C-alpha cells in the first residue's frame, strides 16, 4: 500500500488531550474521582452491534464484551468473556469456548452459553445491509453444552475465526433485551463490558459509568467517561484548546496534528504520542453505474491520481501514499498500483480511454461523507477533482452527505464513485481483502471475484501460521489492481495527545484502532 519513499507515516485519526485535575492525591484517590470527557466527530451510526460494521465499534468496545479480545499491547486474540477458546480439530473447523464463571449483563441477566448463541444467531438472522454478518461467512452452526460452553462449527477451515470473535461486531447481548430478528429500537445498550451506558443523546453525548460487575481483561484507570459528539474538526479542536473537553479521538485534521506537534503557546501543555496504525482511505467504484462501471474509466482514474500531491496538499506530514489495499505493517503488503501505473501520466490515461473508444471528457460524480473522517475529507476530494479535471479527460462533480445519509446511499447503490475509510477489524491481510469482496460485503456494493472468494481466501484460512500465506494475498492484491474496483489513496497513523498530567495515552488504542477508554487516567501528584 505504501509509497516506496521513507517518509514518516501519520494520520488524521486521533489526538487525545486531557485536562489536569487540581491538588495532590494518591493513585487510588485519583482513580476514584476521575471522569474523563472525550470529544469526537465520529458518532455511532447505531447502538446495536448486530447491524454495525463501522466506527460504532468505538462505543461497543467499551460497553460490550466479546468472547475474545486484543489485550493492550497484543496483536493476537486472547480470551475475554471466555476463560479459554481453541480449535479442537486439525482442520480449523471446530472452535470451542468456555465462559468465565459468574458473568452477567448490566441488567442482571446471566451471560451464559445461551446468550452467546443468541448474539451470533441474531447477527446472521438480521443480516443487515453493510452489517457484520459478512464476517461470519464461514460460520455454519453455534451449539451450546451446558451453561458455560459454546461450540462454533464452520463450513470450511478458517484460521482467522479467533480474530473475528475479537471484533466489537461480535459483542455479546442478552436475549431479553435484543430481539432475534430485528435491531433493538429503544436507544439503549445492555452489555457486560468495562462501562455501562448511563445515557445517550444522539448528536450530543454518551455518558459511560464504570461497570462494577465487569469481569474481563480490561483494568479501569478512571471511573467514568463522557463522549461528546461534534460536527466538525475545528469545533472539537477549539473545545480541546479551551479545556471544555478533556480528550479528542478521530476527526482532527493534519494541520491540527502538526500544530500539536509544534508545541505552540496554545498547546504548550500537550504531549503527542504516536502509535502504529493501519487505517486507510480509498475510492469505491460502483460497477452498476454506466460510467464508473467501465474498466477503462477506472483504470484512467488510477493512472491520473497523484497520491504524493494529495498527501502533500491535504495531509502534509501526517499520511503516506497508499498503493495497495493491504497497508504497510501488515504482512503480504505490496505496492501493486505503483508497480502497474507508476507515476501519474495523462498520456497513458488518454490511451486507456481511447483504446475503449472513449474520446470525450468523462463525466463522473464523486461522493464523500462530511462528518466521518474529519474536515480534511472535503479538501481531499477537492484535490482529486482538480487532478482529474486538469488532465482534460474528466468532468468531475462533487457531492456529499452526513454519514448516516451517505451510508444509506451507497448501500442502495446510488453513488457512482465514493470515498471510504477502513479501520481494521483485526491485524491480518485477510481483513483488508475479504470484507470488500462477495455479495454481502462491507461496501454495500457487490464485488464478485471467484478466484479470491473460492480459491485464495479458503486456501489462506486453512493455515494457522498466518505468515505462511503471502502468496495468496499477493495474488488477491494483483486482482484488485486489475479490476480497479477499489482505488487505495493513503494510509495514516494514530496519535494520542494529552496534557502532561495524563497517562495511558500510549496504551489507549488497540490493534483495531479502537479507543480503550479505560486506559486513560490522571497521574498522581499533579
Amino acid at each position: 500500500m505504501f509509497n516506496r519513499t521513507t517518509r514518516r507515516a501519520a494520520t488524521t485519526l486521533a489526538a487525545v488531550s486531557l485536562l489536569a485535575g487540581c491538588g495532590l492525591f494518591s493513585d487510588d484517590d485519583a482513580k476514584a474521582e476521575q471522569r474523563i470527557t472525550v470529544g469526537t466527530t465520529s458518532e455511532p451510526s447505531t447502538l446495536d452491534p448486530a447491524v454495525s460494521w463501522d466506527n460504532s465499534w468505538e462505543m461497543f468496545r467499551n460497553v460490550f464484551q466479546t468472547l475474545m479480545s486484543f489485550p493492550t499491547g497484543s496483536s493476537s486474540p486472547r480470551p475475554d468473556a471466555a476463560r479459554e477458546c481453541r480449535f479442537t480439530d486439525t482442520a480449523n473447523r471446530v472452535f470451542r469456548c468456555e465462559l468465565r464463571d459468574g458473568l452477567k449483563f448490566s441488567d442482571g441477566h446471566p451471560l451464559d452459553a445461551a446468550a452467546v448463541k443468541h448474539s451470533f444467531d441474531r447477527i446472521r438472522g438480521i443480516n443487515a445491509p453493510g452489517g457484520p454478518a459478512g464476517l461470519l461467512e464461514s460460520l455454519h452452526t453455534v451449539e451450546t453444552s451446558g451453561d458455560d460452553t459454546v461450540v462454533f462449527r464452520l463450513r470450511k477451515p478458517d484460521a482467522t475465526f479467533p480474530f473475528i470473535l475479537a471484533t466489537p461486531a461480535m459483542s455479546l447481548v442478552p436475549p431479553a433485551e435484543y430481539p432475534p430478528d430485528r435491531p433493538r429500537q429503544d436507544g439503549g445498550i445492555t452489555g457486560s463490558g468495562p462501562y455501562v451506558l448511563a445515557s445517550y443523546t444522539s448528536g450530543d453525548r454518551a455518558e459511560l459509568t464504570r461497570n462494577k460487575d465487569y469481569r474481563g481483561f480490561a483494568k479501569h484507570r478512571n471511573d467514568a467517561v463522557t463522549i461528546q459528539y461534534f460536527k466538525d474538526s475545528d469545533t472539537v479542536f477549539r473545545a480541546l484548546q479551551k479545556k471544555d473537553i478533556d480528550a479528542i479521538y478521530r476527526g482532527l485534521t493534519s494541520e491540527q496534528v502538526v500544530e500539536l506537534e509544534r508545541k505552540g503557546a496554545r498547546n504548550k501543555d500537550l504531549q503527542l504520542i504516536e502509535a502504529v496504525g493501519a487505517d486507510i482511505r480509498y475510492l469505491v467504484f460502483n460497477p452498476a453505474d454506466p460510467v464508473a462501471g467501465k474498466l477503462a474509466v477506472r483504470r484512467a482514474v488510477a493512472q491520473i491520481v497523484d497520491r504524493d500531491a494529495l498527501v502533500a496538499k491535504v495531509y502534509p506530514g501526517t499520511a503516506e501514499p497508499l498503493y495497495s489495499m493491504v497497508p504497510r505493517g501488515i504482512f503480504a503488503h505490496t505496492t501493486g498500483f505503483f508497480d502497474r501505473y507508476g507515476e501519474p501520466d495523462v498520456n497513458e490515461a488518454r490511451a486507456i480511454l481511447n483504446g475503449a473508444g472513449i474520446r470525450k471528457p468523462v463525466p463522473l460524480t464523486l461522493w464523500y461523507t462530511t462528518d466521518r473522517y474529519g474536515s480534511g475529507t472535503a479538501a481531499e476530494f477537492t484535490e482529486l477533482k482538480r487532478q482529474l479535471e486538469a488532465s482534460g479527460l474528466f468532468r468531475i462533480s462533487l457531492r456529499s452527505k452526513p454519514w448516516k445519509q451517505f451510508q444509506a446511499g451507497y448501500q442502495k447503490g446510488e453513488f457512482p464513485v465514493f470515498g471510504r475509510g477502513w479501520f481494521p477489524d483485526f491485524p491480518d491481510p485477510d481483513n483488508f481483502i475479504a470484507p470488500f469482496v462477495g455479495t454481502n460485503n462491507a461496501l454495500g456494493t457487490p464485488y464478485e471475484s471467484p478466484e479470491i472468494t473460492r480459491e485464495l481466501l479458503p486456501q489462506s484460512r486453512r493455515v494457522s501460521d498466518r505468515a505462511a500465506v503471502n502468496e495468496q494475498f499477493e495474488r488477491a492484491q494483483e486482482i484488485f489492481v486489475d479490476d480497479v474496483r477499489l482505488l487505495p489513496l493513503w494510509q495514516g497513523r494514530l496519535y494520542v495527545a494529552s496534557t502532561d498530567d495524563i497517562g495511558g495515552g500510549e496504551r489507549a488504542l488497540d490493534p483495531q484502532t479502537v479507543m480503550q477508554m479505560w486506559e486513560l487516567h490522571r497521574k498522581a501528584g499533579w
Side-chain angles (χ1 to χ4, degrees):
M1 132 229 106
F2 263 89
N3 188 342
R4 63 275 173 221
T5 66
T6 58
R7 290 178 303 173
R8 182 173 57 86
T11 193
T12 64
L13 270 190
V16 174
S17 170
L18 305 177
L19 177 61
C22 297
L24 301 176
F25 41 77
S26 69
D27 279 337
D28 290 341
D29 289 337
K31 187 191 299 182
E33 297 174 359
Q34 284 185 34
R35 172 177 288 273
I36 306 297
T37 301
V38 180
T40 179
T41 61
S42 181
E43 184 178 3
S45 62
T46 176
L47 298 183
D48 191 329
V51 297
S52 171
W53 199 350
D54 59 26
N55 284 353
S56 302
W57 287 12
E58 299 282 3
M59 173 75 78
F60 300 163
R61 173 57 75 210
N62 289 279
V63 297
F64 292 108
Q65 269 186 296
T66 46
L67 287 171
M68 304 190 74
S69 192
F70 292 99
T72 301
S74 173
S75 59
S76 299
R78 298 287 184 268
D80 184 9
R83 67 170 178 262
E84 181 184 12
C85 287
R86 62 188 178 89
F87 281 109
T88 60
D89 65 335
T90 58
N92 293 336
R93 292 188 60 176
V94 181
F95 196 75
R96 176 188 176 98
C97 288
E98 297 179 7
L99 298 176
R100 294 176 185 261
D101 295 331
L103 291 177
K104 62 181 179 179
F105 294 103
S106 58
D107 65 355
H109 284 97
L111 197 174
D112 55 14
V116 174
K117 176 175 170 56
H118 171 81
S119 300
F120 283 83
D121 287 348
R122 74 185 296 266
I123 291 172
R124 296 195 295 166
I126 293 173
N127 195 22
L135 284 169
L136 296 175
E137 180 263 341
S138 65
L139 179 60
H140 180 47
T141 61
V142 184
E143 302 171 1
T144 63
S145 177
D147 291 335
D148 66 350
T149 301
V150 184
V151 177
F152 300 90
R153 299 192 183 276
L154 310 183
R155 291 188 176 90
K156 49 194 173 184
D158 189 355
T160 71
F161 194 70
F163 291 84
I164 293 169
L165 293 185
T167 68
M170 303 301 128
S171 296
L172 305 177
V173 299
E177 300 290 344
Y178 290 82
D181 56 354
R182 64 187 185 281
R184 181 172 176 172
Q185 300 292 340
D186 64 0
I189 282 181
T190 307
S192 60
Y195 296 96
V196 174
L197 180 65
S199 66
Y200 175 76
T201 304
S202 179
D204 183 18
R205 68 188 61 219
E207 300 287 353
L208 308 183
T209 59
R210 182 176 179 175
N211 182 0
K212 296 179 180 179
D213 295 323
Y214 167 72
R215 301 184 64 189
F217 78 91
K219 306 298 182 184
H220 291 88
R221 306 300 300 276
N222 61 62
D223 223 32
V225 175
T226 297
I227 304 176
Q228 189 170 342
Y229 303 113
F230 292 81
K231 293 297 184 184
D232 59 74
S233 299
D234 289 341
T235 305
V236 71
F237 190 50
R238 286 195 299 270
L240 168 68
Q241 292 178 315
K242 292 164 59 179
K243 306 296 194 295
D244 291 338
I245 58 175
D246 297 327
I248 303 174
Y249 74 93
R250 301 208 189 281
L252 293 183
T253 65
S254 60
E255 291 83 2
Q256 291 163 350
V257 172
V258 170
E259 184 175 341
L260 288 169
E261 289 180 316
R262 289 174 179 166
K263 288 279 190 178
R266 290 181 298 177
N267 308 314
K268 60 183 178 63
D269 297 327
L270 304 180
Q271 59 180 335
L272 191 66
I273 299 169
E274 182 178 322
V276 175
D279 67 299
I280 66 176
R281 298 294 187 276
Y282 55 95
L283 294 178
V284 182
F285 293 86
N286 185 349
D289 183 79
V291 179
K294 296 178 179 179
L295 179 59
V297 170
R298 302 196 299 269
R299 287 180 172 173
V301 171
Q303 187 65 70
I304 291 171
V305 168
D306 187 337
R307 295 167 178 81
D308 285 304
L310 176 66
V311 167
K313 290 185 178 182
V314 184
Y315 305 111
T318 59
E320 287 193 9
L322 176 64
Y323 291 97
S324 168
M325 291 299 289
V326 177
R328 189 174 68 170
I330 302 295
F331 75 86
H333 158 72
T334 71
T335 55
F337 276 88
F338 182 78
D339 299 340
R340 174 71 61 86
Y341 296 100
E343 298 292 347
D345 191 320
V346 173
N347 290 330
E348 287 290 338
R350 182 179 293 108
I352 291 171
L353 292 174
N354 288 347
I358 303 172
R359 303 186 181 279
K360 295 182 178 180
V362 178
L364 205 56
T365 301
L366 276 56
W367 284 81
Y368 63 92
T369 179
T370 58
D371 58 353
R372 197 62 173 178
Y373 308 120
S375 300
T377 306
E380 177 179 338
F381 275 76
T382 298
E383 171 61 14
L384 289 172
K385 171 183 170 70
R386 185 199 67 77
Q387 292 181 12
L388 291 170
E389 290 190 333
S391 71
L393 303 176
F394 290 91
R395 296 197 311 271
I396 303 298
S397 299
L398 296 182
R399 301 288 300 277
S400 62
K401 286 185 177 182
W403 173 253
K404 290 185 179 180
Q405 298 174 34
F406 177 81
Q407 186 181 44
Y410 74 68
Q411 289 176 351
K412 295 177 182 176
E414 296 176 354
F415 306 154
V417 186
F418 56 96
R420 286 293 308 273
W422 184 250
F423 307 97
D425 303 325
F426 50 85
D428 188 280
D430 185 289
N431 194 235
F432 294 89
I433 301 293
F436 307 126
V437 295
T439 301
N440 184 19
N441 63 39
L443 304 172
T445 303
Y447 181 5
E448 300 297 336
S449 179
E451 184 178 354
I452 294 178
T453 57
R454 299 177 189 174
E455 298 178 30
L456 300 176
L457 289 176
Q459 290 169 11
S460 71
R461 289 171 177 174
R462 296 189 188 104
V463 182
S464 296
D465 180 3
R466 304 306 294 155
V469 291
N470 279 38
E471 181 180 345
Q472 288 84 356
F473 289 117
E474 289 173 358
R475 173 56 188 153
Q477 290 170 84
E478 290 178 1
I479 294 171
F480 277 4
V481 173
D482 288 340
D483 294 344
V484 201
R485 287 284 307 278
L486 308 167
L487 184 65
L489 296 173
W490 57 269
Q491 173 179 357
R493 291 189 64 82
L494 304 173
Y495 290 95
V496 173
S498 70
T499 52
D500 292 337
D501 70 313
I502 294 301
E506 71 283 356
R507 296 168 59 86
L509 293 164
D510 73 3
Q512 299 158 309
T513 73
V514 172
M515 180 67 78
Q516 301 178 141
M517 302 293 184
W518 58 84
E519 293 287 356
L520 303 176
H521 64 279
R522 306 186 195 282
K523 298 175 183 177
W526 178 255

